[in-house]
């Protein structure tokens, strides 16, 4: 339903809280569903107040689930905050026996004959982009990767305009010319120089991407294998045409482990794969010049690829959020949740991750698993993660950031209940541990941290050929090989940060569109981006974030 731009919203009929859709003043009379309240204190937009008296220990219900308990007696109309509400969730029970899911798939008649223009790979998967990647096996090779990045992108037409270098040089020239400091600092900054892809030497290669990291040695052997698994996920990814790998030689993350992980993911792997080992080759200049030669040859081959029609079932979408606010769970998250349901109904795959942000909705997700074994695995992964966090004096309850809390997400359970809406309503067809990969259509749960870059990195490593990323506060996160589309939860953000936001879901809060209308609009945008017809802001901006999760406590 549309909100009709009302002042407040009850998300679920069982909720004992209302969400302020705009700033409410102390003493203001607020009405909902035939009831009225006079607020004893101001309630900013995105925050909540209770609709009935809560005694200390009483549950706070939102999205129909327990998201906290009152720390003290709270008269009706009290603004909820970390000072008067504590994180709390219901106990979870594994339901044994046959599953009766009875999912009502949305009507997808509008899209059933639609296709996208993608890059078809020999393993049957289809990419939404065509990249060459350069990867170090260990952090010792990061400088060499940086040298190759500067050389290859500049020479072959993949370097984005250096607008800030130009501006810094302009200030230096004015200073040398004897201008006063006031005159220098008043110089106008011009950012109107756009990247022109027509200058690329290889027009059918979207990018040469460089994935530096801080791992590969100095940790445990499990760390090394996990990293190799993630890197293998990128090398075998449908958005990747081939890879250049730089190895020092003595590191824990041995090339042989990487090759094993590649074979696990694709036993018939046939992409160009260049592996160079510095300790064997000797001189740095020998290795880097050879890397340039062989990568050039690989790019010539990659440039032979062309976009061709592919069914929407070949889309695998990562579902992500970052910089969430009090509107995330009632606008952008359920909107991409509807997009998720549409894709599942069309035979596609979606990935819901960020396990610390599923705390409190485990029962719903476990009940949606297609069999008991999957439900058991999901709950075991959640409990193991929580135990690791508690072992170092933390816990899922510490997930919300200061920005989350400031904008109305006062407990992890409240944040999680809204975050889970990204997964829509479809059955859970698989549960994956990091860095496993998607093999089944439908909704996949992937164990990752809530850290948005670590999680996005993992989703793409698991096979996401695009990511839908919701934000209420604004975050620029991108990925080196998969387009990341940003969806704002509120119109004010969309207007304030148009350089990083692609789609506005704040129209739901404004009462202009329904969740379903926005979700359908997002799917149309997904098809355009997957076909290369539109370029998301993160790609235009060169936002190429890549942070492997070193298995440990990251919330």
């Amino acid at each position: 339903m549309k909100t009709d731009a009302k002042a407040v919203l009850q998300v679920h009929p069982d909720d004992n809280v209302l969400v302020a859709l705009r700033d409410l003043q102390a003493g203001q009379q607020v009405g909902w569903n035939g009831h009225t309240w006079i607020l004893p204190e101001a309630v900013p937009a995105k925050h909540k107040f209770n609709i009935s008296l809560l005694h200390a220990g009483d549950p706070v219900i939102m999205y129909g689930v327990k998201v906290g308990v009152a720390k003290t007696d709270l008269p009706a109309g009290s603004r909820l905050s970390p000072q008067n509400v504590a994180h709390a969730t219901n106990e979870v029970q594994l339901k044994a026996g046959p599953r009766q899911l009875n999912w009502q798939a949305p009507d997808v008649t509008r899209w059933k004959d639609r296709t996208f223009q993608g890059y078809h790979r020999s393993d049957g998967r289809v990419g939404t982009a065509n990249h060459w990647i350069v990867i170090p096996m260990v952090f010792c090779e990061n400088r060499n990767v940086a040298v190759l990045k500067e050389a290859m992108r500049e020479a072959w037409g993949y370097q984005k305009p250096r607008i800030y270098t130009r501006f810094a040089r302009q200030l230096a020239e004015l200073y040398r010319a004897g201008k006063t400091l006031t005159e220098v600092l008043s110089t106008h900054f011009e950012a109107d120089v756009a990247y022109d892809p027509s200058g690329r030497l290889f027009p059918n290669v979207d990018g040469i991407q460089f994935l530096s990291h801080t791992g590969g040695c100095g940790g445990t052997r499990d760390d090394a294998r996990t990293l190799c698994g993630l890197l293998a996920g990128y090398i075998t990814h449908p958005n990747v045409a081939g890879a250049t790998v730089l190895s020092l030689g003595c590191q824990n993350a041995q090339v042989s482990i990487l090759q094993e992980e590649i074979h696990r993911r694709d036993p018939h792997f046939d992409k160009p794969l260049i592996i160079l080992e510095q300790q064997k080759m000797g001189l740095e200049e020998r290795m880097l010049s050879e890397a340039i030669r062989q990568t050039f040859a690989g790019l010539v081959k990659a440039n032979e690829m062309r976009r061709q029609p592919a069914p929407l079932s070949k889309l695998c979408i990562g579902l992500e959020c970052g910089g969430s606010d009090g509107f995330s769970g009632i606008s952008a998250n359920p909107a991409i949740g509807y997009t998720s349901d549409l894709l599942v109904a069309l035979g596609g795959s979606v990935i819901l991750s960020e396990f610390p942000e599923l705390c409190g909705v485990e029962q719903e997700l476990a009940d949606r698993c297609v069999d008991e074994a999957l439900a058991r695995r999901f709950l075991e992964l959640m409990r193991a993660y929580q135990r690791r966090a508690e072992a170092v004096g933390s816990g899922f309850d510490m997930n919300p950031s200061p920005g989350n809390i400031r904008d109305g997400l006062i407990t992890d359970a409240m944040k999680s209940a809204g975050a889970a809406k990204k997964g829509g309503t479809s059955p859970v067809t698989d549960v994956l541990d990091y860095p496993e990969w998607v093999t089944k259509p439908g909704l996949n749960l992937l164990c990752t941290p809530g850290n948005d870059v670590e999680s996005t990195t993992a989703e793409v490593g698991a096979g996401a050929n695009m990511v839908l990323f919701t934000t209420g506060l604004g975050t620029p996160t991108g990925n080196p090989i998969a387009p990341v589309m940003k969806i704002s939860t509120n119109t004010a953000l969309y207007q304030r940060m148009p350089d990083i936001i692609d789609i506005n879901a704040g129209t739901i809060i404004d009462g202009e569109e329904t969740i379903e209308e926005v979700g359908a609009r997002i799917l149309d945008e997904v098809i355009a981006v997957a076909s290369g017809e539109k370029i998301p802001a993160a790609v235009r901006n060169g936002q190429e974030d890549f942070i492997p999760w070193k298995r440990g406590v990251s919330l």
Side-chain angles (χ1 to χ4, degrees):
M1 294 186 302
K2 295 184 179 179
T3 64
D4 297 323
K6 294 182 185 296
V8 295
L9 175 69
Q10 186 180 42
V11 180
H12 188 278
D14 294 337
D15 292 355
N16 58 8
V17 302
L18 294 179
V19 184
L21 299 181
R22 57 175 182 261
D23 291 341
L24 305 177
Q25 305 304 315
Q28 181 173 343
Q29 181 172 296
V30 177
W32 176 264
N33 200 26
H35 300 277
T36 58
W37 299 266
I38 297 178
L39 302 179
E41 58 184 316
V43 180
K46 307 179 186 180
H47 286 257
K48 294 85 186 169
F49 66 88
N50 54 305
I51 60 177
S52 58
L53 170 65
L54 294 178
H55 295 289
D58 282 352
V60 175
I61 307 297
M62 188 175 174
Y63 302 99
V65 298
K66 184 177 180 180
V67 298
V69 294
K71 292 183 178 179
T72 185
D73 291 351
L74 296 175
S78 299
R79 173 187 171 183
L80 305 186
S81 71
Q83 287 68 46
N84 57 30
V85 173
H87 168 84
T89 63
N90 285 322
E91 291 294 322
V92 181
Q93 300 294 326
L94 178 64
K95 294 181 180 179
R99 301 285 167 132
Q100 298 196 6
L101 301 172
N102 298 322
W103 180 54
Q104 297 296 314
D107 180 8
V108 292
T109 304
R110 172 176 159 187
W111 298 275
K112 68 181 180 65
D113 296 323
R114 293 282 301 275
T115 60
F116 72 98
Q117 296 291 317
Y119 294 98
H120 292 249
R121 306 300 180 185
S122 62
D123 64 358
R125 295 190 293 170
V126 180
T128 61
N130 190 39
H131 292 290
W132 188 278
I133 58 175
V134 181
I135 299 178
M137 291 298 299
V138 62
F139 53 81
C140 308
E141 293 296 323
N142 281 346
R143 189 190 72 84
N144 287 333
V145 168
V147 170
L148 293 178
K149 179 178 181 179
E150 181 178 7
M152 293 179 182
R153 284 191 171 175
E154 185 74 35
W156 299 338
Y158 289 87
Q159 180 61 53
K160 298 281 174 65
R162 293 192 171 107
I163 57 174
Y164 299 109
T165 300
R166 184 187 63 181
F167 183 58
R169 187 177 293 120
Q170 184 180 3
L171 298 188
E173 290 171 353
L174 290 170
Y175 184 70
R176 290 192 186 99
K179 299 295 183 182
T180 67
L181 181 59
T182 299
E183 290 174 318
V184 171
L185 299 183
S186 64
T187 302
H188 177 65
F189 172 69
E190 296 181 0
D192 57 351
V193 180
Y195 170 61
D196 182 7
S198 66
R200 296 189 309 221
L201 182 60
F202 307 104
N204 297 312
V205 177
D206 296 302
I208 310 169
Q209 306 297 80
F210 300 81
L211 282 59
S212 60
H213 57 82
T214 60
C217 205
T220 67
R221 294 299 189 268
D222 283 345
D223 288 340
R225 180 163 290 278
T226 297
L227 175 64
C228 287
L230 178 71
L231 298 181
Y234 275 70
I235 292 170
T236 60
H237 195 282
N239 287 8
V240 170
T244 301
V245 178
L246 301 188
S247 170
L248 180 61
C250 58
Q251 71 276 350
N252 287 345
Q254 286 288 295
V255 168
S256 60
I257 303 174
L258 175 66
Q259 291 170 326
E260 290 172 11
E261 291 295 331
I262 290 173
H263 183 76
R264 290 180 63 202
R265 287 159 176 76
D266 184 0
H268 305 290
F269 179 77
D270 60 357
K271 295 178 182 177
L273 179 62
I274 301 162
I275 299 175
L276 302 171
E277 187 169 302
Q278 188 170 5
Q279 290 171 346
K280 283 184 178 179
M281 300 189 73
L283 292 177
E284 173 191 293
E285 64 184 46
R286 181 184 175 195
M287 181 179 73
L288 295 185
S289 61
E290 189 62 23
I292 293 171
R293 286 191 191 94
Q294 292 193 36
T295 301
F296 189 91
L299 287 165
V300 171
K301 181 69 174 176
N303 195 49
E304 296 173 2
M305 294 292 296
R306 299 291 188 275
R307 289 184 182 270
Q308 297 176 356
L312 300 186
S313 60
K314 294 296 183 179
L315 290 172
C316 179
I317 306 296
L319 308 168
E320 188 64 39
C321 58
S324 299
D325 71 350
F327 287 162
S328 293
I330 59 178
S331 62
N333 287 353
I336 71 170
Y338 186 72
T339 308
S340 168
D341 284 347
L342 292 172
L343 282 167
V344 170
L346 289 162
S349 305
V350 295
I351 306 172
L352 180 64
S353 58
E354 301 179 289
F355 273 27
E357 297 177 13
L358 300 179
C359 178
V361 291
E362 297 99 327
Q363 189 69 65
E364 178 201 343
L365 291 170
D367 292 348
R368 284 167 57 186
C369 289
V370 295
D371 58 47
E372 182 182 340
L374 281 183
R376 187 181 303 279
R377 190 181 197 214
F378 168 60
L379 295 178
E380 288 173 350
L381 287 171
M382 286 289 291
R383 289 163 182 162
Y385 202 149
Q386 172 74 336
R387 286 194 299 269
R388 287 195 300 272
E390 291 173 348
V392 295
S394 187
F396 287 169
D397 61 299
M398 299 181 72
N399 171 273
S401 70
N404 295 150
I405 295 168
R406 184 180 62 246
D407 271 48
L409 299 177
I410 62 171
T411 72
D412 183 55
M414 182 181 290
K415 181 179 178 181
S416 295
K421 296 298 180 184
K422 302 192 301 289
T425 61
S426 69
V428 175
T429 57
D430 209 356
V431 176
L432 309 172
D433 196 7
Y434 176 79
E436 293 174 346
W437 60 99
V438 171
T439 61
K440 299 177 182 178
L443 174 60
N444 291 253
L445 303 182
L446 172 65
C447 183
T448 75
N451 178 304
D452 54 321
V453 177
E454 290 177 330
S455 180
T456 300
T457 299
E459 287 185 339
V460 175
N465 51 18
M466 189 180 301
V467 176
L468 294 178
F469 190 118
T470 68
T471 182
L473 305 177
T475 180
T477 301
N479 183 264
I481 67 169
V484 177
M485 297 175 62
K486 292 289 172 39
I487 301 101
S488 67
T489 72
N490 61 90
T491 300
L493 171 63
Y494 181 71
Q495 295 171 341
R496 188 173 67 253
M497 303 181 78
D499 57 328
I500 68 169
I501 302 296
D502 300 293
I503 297 172
N504 180 27
T507 52
I508 297 169
I509 302 298
D510 301 335
E512 297 173 5
E513 288 184 290
T514 65
I515 287 170
E516 293 77 13
E517 287 169 343
V518 175
R521 177 160 58 90
I522 291 171
L523 180 55
D524 288 334
E525 292 290 312
V526 164
I527 296 169
V529 170
S531 300
E533 297 167 2
K534 287 191 174 182
I535 301 176
V539 177
R540 292 196 307 271
N541 296 336
Q543 192 77 34
E544 299 164 356
D545 303 300
F546 179 80
I547 302 180
W549 180 28
K550 185 176 179 180
R551 196 61 180 260
V553 178
S554 177
L555 298 175

